Amino acid sequence: MAAMTALTTLCPPPGPTSNIHWETVEATLGMPLPQDYKELADRYGPGVFNGFVHVYHPHGATEYADLTGPVPGRIRARLSRDREQGTHPVPYDPETLFACAVTDNGEYLFWITDPAGDPDRWRIAVNQARGPDWFTYDGTLTAFLTAVLGGRIEVPLFPVSLGEAPAGFAPARPVPPQSGPLPGHRPVDTGTIRSWARARGYDVPPRGRIPLEVREAWERRTPKG
């Protein structure tokens, strides 16, 4: 497809394609997935574009990067609470939003899953990290990445420098299968996370549960043990 050709020309994939059983993935999610995303995930594997946009993947290294993990559902539940409580405006029905990527700043990229039975017509929505603003792109995830990384569109929620730097993709470091806690839940001093987050401008309560977006950001920024 044209968007994939444009993306691979702009940002060459890292190596061999992934072996993803898409029927199993879609059955796990209970919904079909856009064809462009399947090709994107197959060609690039888990990783990050320009050190900023982390696309969720069925083979994500941790639960915080796994398309079939709990994070998309948690985000949807939070959006539903925001909408009901008036915390932040949500321009779309949260039930139609499915998180497919996240940035280093904490913005989420969503598929607007409408029409539900035609995923190749799904558009992309981006919400502001710790703020009320949204941005909508009338196209696929692959086309969105190509336009942003190529500097053809400027997303007000993203750094201006994102489209000015040479496009690149860094594969996620594989986490070998293991028993015990998921890598995303490795033991850690929560005070370390709170200090790290405050130094980067996150609003973190002094005690209690650390917000999901903060834990996600910390997981992405620190080496996996």
Side-chain angles (χ1 to χ4, degrees):
M1 57 181 63
M4 180 57 64
T5 300
L7 181 60
T8 56
T9 300
L10 177 69
C11 180
T17 59
S18 300
N19 182 23
I20 302 172
H21 299 288
W22 288 111
E23 289 185 2
T24 301
V25 173
E26 291 176 320
T28 299
L29 294 173
M31 68 179 191
L33 291 170
Q35 187 61 37
D36 81 284
Y37 169 77
K38 295 179 186 179
E39 190 169 349
L40 176 71
D42 282 334
R43 295 291 298 275
Y44 285 89
V48 54
F49 288 91
N50 275 34
F52 187 71
V53 181
H54 303 253
V55 176
Y56 292 157
H57 192 280
H59 296 167
T62 75
E63 69 165 359
Y64 294 99
D66 192 339
L67 187 77
T68 61
V71 171
R74 292 174 184 169
I75 297 168
R76 178 180 284 170
R78 192 176 68 211
L79 290 176
S80 295
R81 289 195 300 271
D82 284 348
R83 200 181 206 201
E84 291 169 2
Q85 299 171 3
T87 308
H88 290 307
V90 181
Y92 300 100
D93 180 351
E95 290 302 313
T96 68
L97 296 175
F98 192 94
C100 57
V102 65
T103 75
D104 267 2
N105 285 347
E107 294 95 4
Y108 291 104
L109 281 64
F110 299 90
W111 284 306
I112 306 170
T113 62
D114 182 25
D118 193 355
D120 293 331
R121 291 173 56 194
W122 293 354
R123 298 176 294 154
I124 300 298
V126 185
N127 73 335
Q128 183 182 19
R130 304 173 294 283
D133 295 337
W134 286 73
F135 176 87
T136 301
Y137 178 77
D138 191 12
T140 67
L141 178 60
T142 301
F144 175 79
L145 290 171
T146 303
V148 170
L149 298 179
R152 291 194 288 106
I153 65 169
E154 186 174 309
V155 180
L157 311 179
F158 291 175
V160 174
S161 59
L162 183 61
E164 298 174 348
F169 179 84
R173 195 171 95 184
V175 176
Q178 62 184 50
S179 58
L182 289 170
H185 285 298
R186 67 186 189 279
V188 63
D189 176 11
T190 56
T192 300
I193 302 179
R194 293 181 204 277
S195 297
W196 178 93
R198 291 192 188 103
R200 287 156 180 80
Y202 287 93
D203 183 13
V204 187
R207 59 183 61 83
R209 176 173 294 185
I210 294 173
L212 172 63
E213 62 269 24
V214 173
R215 181 70 190 233
E216 273 195 287
W218 185 83
E219 288 284 346
R220 292 194 302 272
R221 289 287 190 140
T222 55
K224 305 296 185 289

